[in-house]
Amino acid sequence: MTGLSPIYTKERVNINVNNVQNYSSTWVIVKRRVPQGSVLGPLLFIIRIKDLPRHINHFSNVVLFAHDTSILITEKNYENPNQNIRFSLDCTSSWFKANQLLLNLMTTNIIQFSPSHFLHLQFITRHNSTTISEATETKFLGVQIDSHLNWKCHIDCILTKLSTACFVIRRLFYVLNLETL
């Protein structure tokens, strides 16, 4: 059909500081989008990136969950693990670029899992002039894990949340009836 053109919207960010100063970004045409928090957002994202694992599967495993992508590299040889990390990043980055997606290197980190008695090697990885930091703990599929795969950091995280919830329940105990509480 002729005469039809895609509908594009323009968006920008406005920040108002204490009702005194107003900062605005420039208007940008948004060509692809799904409303944040929508029910279909995670499903559409998984459909969009489902072929990513095939592009780097021969040397690493890719785990896709909702909007998170994790790349797992198993390396028994400690001589040059950075080579596989760089290769994974290069393949992932080129796939994202070819599919008009953006790989956020600021939220990307590397974690090395090993028993506590093993020698810990430092990874210094740079990709597109951005240094990717090595983390000692990370959240994976909702579970907080550390580099030694023990439960301490996850338990600490849950205890903080439970402590807050228990405090609120204790404070409301005298105000609300048991059914509401």
Side-chain angles (χ1 to χ4, degrees):
M1 288 190 216
T2 60
L4 295 178
S5 62
I7 299 172
Y8 296 124
T9 61
K10 287 186 176 184
E11 294 182 354
R12 72 176 179 177
V13 176
N14 288 320
I15 300 174
N16 189 327
V17 181
N18 297 329
N19 293 325
V20 176
Q21 291 180 311
N22 191 33
Y23 299 97
S24 297
S25 65
T26 58
W27 286 99
V28 177
I29 294 175
V30 179
K31 297 177 183 176
R32 294 165 199 83
R33 68 182 190 154
V34 173
Q36 188 171 354
S38 69
V39 175
L40 284 177
L43 176 64
L44 292 174
F45 182 75
I46 288 174
I47 290 170
R48 173 96 187 220
I49 66 167
K50 72 180 177 106
D51 68 329
L52 172 64
R54 286 187 295 169
H55 291 275
I56 56 175
N57 202 20
H58 49 277
F59 57 88
S60 62
N61 294 314
V62 179
V63 178
L64 304 174
F65 181 76
H67 63 278
D68 289 332
T69 304
S70 298
I71 300 173
L72 309 175
I73 300 171
T74 304
E75 181 65 54
K76 293 179 182 177
N77 184 357
Y78 283 109
E79 291 177 13
N80 198 5
N82 275 331
Q83 181 178 350
N84 282 347
I85 294 170
R86 278 193 292 273
F87 190 63
S88 294
L89 281 170
D90 289 342
C91 288
T92 303
S93 183
S94 65
W95 183 91
F96 268 67
K97 187 174 183 178
N99 286 276
Q100 299 177 351
L101 295 171
L102 183 65
L103 177 62
N104 188 352
L105 293 174
M106 301 309 288
T107 61
T108 301
N109 59 42
I110 297 171
I111 186 165
Q112 180 183 170
F113 299 109
S114 63
S116 56
H117 63 278
F118 272 50
L119 175 66
H120 182 83
L121 299 174
Q122 287 289 85
F123 292 123
I124 300 173
T125 305
R126 292 187 60 77
H127 185 73
N128 294 341
S129 73
T130 301
T131 301
I132 299 173
S133 60
E134 185 174 357
T136 57
E137 60 183 53
T138 190
K139 198 170 200 174
F140 182 68
L141 301 179
V143 177
Q144 196 75 24
I145 55 177
D146 70 1
S147 60
H148 302 300
L149 295 175
N150 67 38
W151 292 97
K152 184 176 177 4
C153 59
H154 185 68
I155 291 170
D156 290 345
C157 183
I158 290 175
L159 281 177
T160 303
K161 291 177 183 177
L162 286 175
S163 176
T164 303
C166 287
F167 174 77
V168 170
I169 290 171
R170 276 194 308 271
R171 299 293 286 179
L172 294 175
F173 182 77
Y174 302 104
V175 179
L176 301 174
N177 63 33
L178 194 56
E179 186 179 324
T180 306
L181 191 59

